[in-house]
Amino acid sequence: MSSNKNQIKKVKFHVGKTEIFLLAVLALLFIIFAVATPVFFRFSNIMNLLRQTSIYGIVALGMVFVIISSGIDLSVGSVLGFSGTVVALMVTNNISIPVAIILAILACAAIGAMNGVLIYDGNVPPFIATMGMMSLVRATLMLMTNARMISGLPENFLAIARFNPLGIPLLAIVWILLSLIALFIARKTVFGRNVYAYGSNKEAARLSGIHIRLTVYGTYIFSAVMCAIAGILITSRLSNAAPTTGTGYELDAIAASVVGGASLNGGQGSVIGAFLGAIIMSTLRQGGTLLGVNSFIMEIIIALLIIAAVLLDQIQRKRGGKKS
């Protein structure tokens, strides 16, 4: 048990260094793009950057918890689309917006719980369990909508994404608030510490008395709830709900978490890292667009960045293993 606590302390120290490095990288990117194109540093462009990042940034908040627990959640894109579709179907059928939002979040939490049951009770590998759930939820969306877009959403619902207090998009404000909540959960709650302990060493976590079932369930439910909120926001922003909404978001969420320092081996990562990783990826994409760089070239650059982050993590782990 004591050795497991030492592992967690080492993780936190390493994450601190990673966050500082990410801030330096982000500052460097801002300087480069600000010099290369004056448009980049305009307030309107920065707000647009935050607005574009907020959706998959929220999804990444849930994903980083899953990755820290040494799991993976490939169903996040489908769950996001499910949330948007459920809320759209309800508000277009005269169900009040608050009720529709609550029911959509609860429905997605149930999907997260099913992932937890498959992984813990069914002993299904997270990759297979969540990949199966991804296909199941996406097919359900097609049946629910008859593979058609849902439009005609009420203005009160569309106003959510259009609201910009003090010129700051509400989507970005929600993302920042959720990041603070996730940061508090990760650093100040028993659940957060249990996620790190379980991801670092499952057997040590079990022997130390951690409730493994609740930790696994809670991790995937939290991820699903983040997807539900993101799905509601993107539906409001797009003014419609399509059964294909959210496709590919699992890759962006994983990438933001990994670039932010999360280890696919588990036990390592941070909310701040995932937050900064999401902004770095969006900054690269938007800066490349403003400079007229081919979008495919930018995706190659981002892919290389992800590979480099994973490779660096593996090198550090090998060195750590040799020292111990």
Side-chain angles (χ1 to χ4, degrees):
M1 183 175 177
S2 59
S3 62
N4 193 49
K5 289 182 178 178
N6 290 333
Q7 286 180 340
I8 297 173
K9 288 179 181 178
K10 289 179 181 178
V11 166
K12 288 184 177 179
F13 177 71
H14 176 72
V15 167
K17 293 194 296 184
T18 302
E19 291 164 355
I20 294 172
F21 174 74
L22 290 171
L23 281 171
V25 170
L26 184 59
L28 180 62
L29 287 175
F30 266 62
I31 293 171
I32 292 172
F33 289 129
V35 172
T37 169
V39 177
F40 180 82
F41 234 158
R42 290 180 182 174
F43 180 79
S44 59
N45 186 64
I46 298 299
M47 291 303 102
N48 188 45
L49 173 66
L50 290 176
R51 184 183 294 107
Q52 291 177 348
T53 314
S54 59
I55 301 300
Y56 76 80
I58 292 173
V59 178
L61 294 177
M63 183 65 78
V64 74
F65 273 77
V66 173
I67 292 177
I68 290 170
S69 73
S70 73
I72 200 74
D73 190 352
L74 299 180
S75 68
V76 293
S78 297
V79 175
L80 182 152
F82 181 79
S83 170
T85 299
V86 167
V87 79
L89 285 171
M90 286 192 285
V91 297
T92 53
N93 283 280
N94 300 319
I95 295 177
S96 70
I97 293 173
V99 171
I101 289 174
I102 291 171
L103 290 177
I105 292 175
L106 289 176
C108 290
I111 295 174
M114 284 190 282
N115 277 333
V117 170
L118 288 171
I119 292 165
Y120 178 81
D121 298 289
N123 202 29
V124 180
F127 183 90
I128 301 300
T130 59
M131 182 173 65
M133 191 61 69
M134 173 183 69
S135 301
L136 175 63
V137 173
R138 189 65 71 184
T140 302
L141 282 176
M142 293 296 180
L143 287 173
M144 289 171 59
T145 62
N146 199 22
R148 294 179 180 176
M149 181 184 298
I150 302 170
S151 56
L153 306 183
E155 284 298 320
N156 288 344
F157 180 75
L158 301 182
I160 295 173
R162 296 173 183 170
F163 185 45
N164 301 308
L166 301 176
I168 304 173
L170 180 62
L171 274 66
I173 294 174
V174 172
W175 176 34
I176 292 169
L177 289 176
L178 289 175
S179 297
L180 292 174
I181 292 171
L183 183 62
F184 175 81
I185 292 172
R187 293 189 173 181
K188 300 296 182 179
T189 68
V190 173
F191 170 72
R193 292 192 292 271
N194 288 350
V195 171
Y196 274 98
Y198 178 70
S200 297
N201 189 320
K202 291 181 174 60
E203 188 58 28
R206 186 175 285 105
L207 293 174
S208 65
I210 290 175
H211 201 307
I212 305 301
R213 183 196 297 272
L214 292 182
T215 302
V216 174
Y217 283 14
T219 301
Y220 286 91
I221 289 173
F222 181 75
S223 176
V225 168
M226 291 298 103
C227 294
I229 296 171
I232 293 165
L233 294 176
I234 195 172
T235 301
S236 176
R237 183 185 179 193
L238 297 177
S239 304
N240 62 67
T244 56
T245 300
T247 302
Y249 271 62
E250 57 277 356
L251 300 180
D252 282 334
I254 293 170
S257 301
V258 170
V259 170
S263 172
L264 294 176
N265 291 310
Q268 181 176 302
S270 75
V271 171
I272 295 176
F275 183 92
L276 294 174
I279 296 180
I280 287 173
M281 288 174 56
S282 281
T283 301
L284 282 169
R285 284 177 175 143
Q286 191 179 69
T289 300
L290 291 174
L291 293 174
V293 179
N294 188 299
S295 61
F296 296 117
I297 294 177
M298 291 310 303
E299 290 303 318
I300 290 173
I301 293 173
I302 291 173
L304 291 174
L305 178 64
I306 296 167
I307 293 171
V310 175
L311 183 61
L312 181 61
D313 172 62
Q314 294 300 318
I315 292 173
Q316 289 177 335
R317 282 182 174 269
K318 283 183 179 180
R319 288 178 178 175
K322 288 179 180 179
K323 288 180 181 179
S324 60

